[in-house]
């Protein structure tokens, strides 16, 4: 038996090696760089202690990126979960063409976020954008949507939400299909309305799906990168940067790899803490049948 377990354990080795090479080593090296002023290209790097970490809390650009990151993460998660649950409830009923509707809603998930960003660029750009073409047809003045940081953040949040609403829909659909019909039949006999059935049966029993969907969408929104790079590259100025795009900006444009590494570690810690808090909250709400 021990010999059999030994051979089974050998299958773990490739996974452990890949984890060390592609996760553990880069993380440890990133921690080392975060204590330096390395520019990303030079052979030399000088240690600066906690200077980069202290700078994060006083850097206005980081604070703007942090605010935007929370908006991208929280607002995208809310929109995706509300729409995803609504789509799932609708598609959980039987009607002709249900499979086609599911495919259409899920289709944007299969498009790379960078490509989705470039597609949406042709809708929102000032010169020749679809929205301005419609305004022109209505004899209205064109608007430069992406020149305003606040508007740009809202637009990119909506684009990210719509693209990945299919993921939430699939998770909720799986959760709904695990609920036994007998609960609804018993509730109808007792005279419960549709809203009461949703509130007292559906909602408590889809908490595991709600937890999975919330955490997945939250992590995706908090590390939003591709759509921002495709539409604004963080501009105008730093007004639409997320922490992820600010890392790229600091590494390649500002040539400050040490500081970029510090922001990266801060982002990693932020996402880990928020996702764990949310996961713990839903664990307490879970109902066992």
């Amino acid at each position: 038996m021990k010999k059999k377990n030994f051979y089974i354990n050998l299958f773990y080795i490739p996974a452990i090696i890949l984890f060390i090479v592609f996760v553990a080593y880069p993380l440890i090296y990133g921690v080392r760089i975060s204590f330096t002023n390395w520019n990303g290209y030079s052979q030399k790097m000088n240690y600066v202690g906690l200077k980069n970490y202290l700078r994060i809390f006083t850097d206005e650009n980081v604070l703007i990126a942090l605010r935007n990151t929370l908006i991208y993460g929280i607002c995208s998660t809310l929109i995706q979960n509300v729409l995803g649950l609504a789509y799932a409830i609708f598609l959980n009923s039987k009607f002709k063409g249900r499979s086609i509707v599911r495919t259409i809603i899920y289709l944007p998930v299969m498009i790379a976020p960078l490509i989705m960003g470039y597609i949406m660029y042709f809708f929102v750009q000032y010169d020749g954008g679809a929205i301005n073409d419609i305004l022109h047809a209505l004899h209205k003045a064109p608007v430069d949507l992406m020149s305003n940081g606040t508007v740009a953040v809202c637009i990119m949040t909506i684009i990210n939400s719509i693209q990945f609403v299919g993921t939430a829909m699939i998770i909720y659909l799986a959760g709904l299909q695990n609920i036994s019909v007998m609960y609804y039949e018993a509730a109808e006999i007792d005279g419960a309305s549709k809203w009461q059935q949703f509130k007292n049966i559906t909602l408590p029993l889809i908490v595991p799906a709600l937890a999975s969907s919330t955490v997945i969408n939250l992590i995706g929104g908090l590390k939003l990168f591709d759509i921002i790079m495709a539409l604004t590259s963080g501009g105008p100025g730093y007004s639409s940067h997320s922490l992820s795009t600010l890392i790229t900006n600091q590494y390649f444009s500002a040539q400050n790899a040490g500081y970029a590494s510090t922001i990266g570690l801060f982002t990693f810690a932020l996402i880990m803490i928020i996702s764990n808090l949310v996961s713990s909250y839903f664990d307490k709400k879970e109902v066992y049948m």
Side-chain angles (χ1 to χ4, degrees):
M1 187 66 182
K2 285 184 178 178
K3 191 175 181 180
K4 186 181 177 183
N5 288 338
F6 172 76
Y7 285 117
I8 290 174
N9 288 335
L10 289 179
F11 286 99
Y12 300 145
I13 294 176
I16 292 171
I17 292 172
L18 289 173
F19 177 80
I20 292 171
V21 172
F22 292 106
V23 179
Y25 176 73
L27 181 62
I28 294 169
Y29 195 69
V31 172
R32 180 194 170 198
I33 293 173
S34 69
F35 291 102
T36 72
N37 63 354
W38 188 44
N39 63 10
Y41 304 98
S42 171
Q43 295 294 320
K44 296 180 180 178
M45 59 176 75
N46 298 317
Y47 286 93
V48 294
L50 295 173
K51 186 178 176 183
N52 288 334
Y53 287 91
L54 295 174
R55 182 182 166 188
I56 279 183
F57 299 101
T58 56
D59 188 341
E60 188 181 348
N61 295 331
V62 172
L63 298 178
I64 291 171
L66 175 61
R67 181 200 64 195
N68 292 340
T69 298
L70 293 174
I71 292 172
Y72 291 135
I74 295 171
C75 294
S76 293
T77 302
L78 285 173
I79 296 171
Q80 286 164 349
N81 278 291
V82 171
L83 288 180
L85 180 57
Y87 282 137
I89 292 171
F90 172 62
L91 293 170
N92 197 37
S93 57
K94 292 180 181 177
F95 61 89
K96 196 175 181 180
R98 182 173 64 167
S99 299
I100 296 172
V101 176
R102 282 182 188 174
T103 305
I104 291 171
I105 295 172
Y106 190 76
L107 206 57
V109 179
M110 295 187 282
I111 300 172
L114 190 65
I115 302 300
M116 175 60 83
Y118 287 130
I119 292 171
M120 297 311 296
Y121 178 75
F122 291 104
F123 282 83
V124 298
Q125 66 174 328
Y126 182 76
D127 293 321
I131 293 175
N132 278 339
D133 283 348
I134 294 170
L135 290 174
H136 178 72
L138 297 172
H139 305 290
K140 302 288 184 183
V143 288
D144 193 357
L145 295 168
M146 306 312 280
S147 66
N148 184 307
T150 305
V151 176
V153 168
C154 293
I155 289 173
M156 289 187 288
T157 301
I158 292 169
I159 292 171
N160 179 58
S161 304
I162 292 172
Q163 182 179 8
F164 292 102
V165 73
T167 304
M169 177 197 73
I170 292 294
I171 294 171
Y172 282 123
L173 207 49
L176 289 171
Q177 290 175 352
N178 276 332
I179 302 175
S180 173
V181 181
M182 68 178 184
Y183 295 119
Y184 296 105
E185 291 173 346
E188 283 182 6
I189 292 171
D190 290 339
S193 65
K194 290 293 181 186
W195 168 248
Q196 288 172 324
Q197 290 178 32
F198 174 77
K199 182 183 173 185
N200 298 313
I201 299 174
T202 305
L203 210 51
L205 294 180
I206 61 167
V207 167
L210 183 60
S212 300
S213 177
T214 301
V215 172
I216 290 171
N217 290 321
L218 194 56
I219 292 173
L222 289 174
K223 61 185 183 67
L224 190 65
F225 177 83
D226 311 66
I227 290 174
I228 301 170
M229 294 306 291
L231 286 171
T232 64
S233 297
Y238 286 81
S239 60
S240 64
H241 265 298
S242 68
L243 287 171
S244 297
T245 56
L246 189 62
I247 294 168
T248 303
N249 173 273
Q250 287 299 308
Y251 194 110
F252 294 104
S253 300
Q255 296 187 2
N256 196 345
Y259 189 46
S261 182
T262 309
I263 299 171
L265 291 169
F266 174 74
T267 307
F268 170 73
L270 178 75
I271 293 174
M272 188 175 67
I273 291 168
I274 292 177
S275 56
N276 274 304
L277 286 174
V278 172
S279 184
S280 300
Y281 172 78
F282 282 114
D283 282 345
K284 295 174 185 172
K285 298 288 181 183
E286 194 166 340
V287 176
Y288 296 96
M289 291 185 287

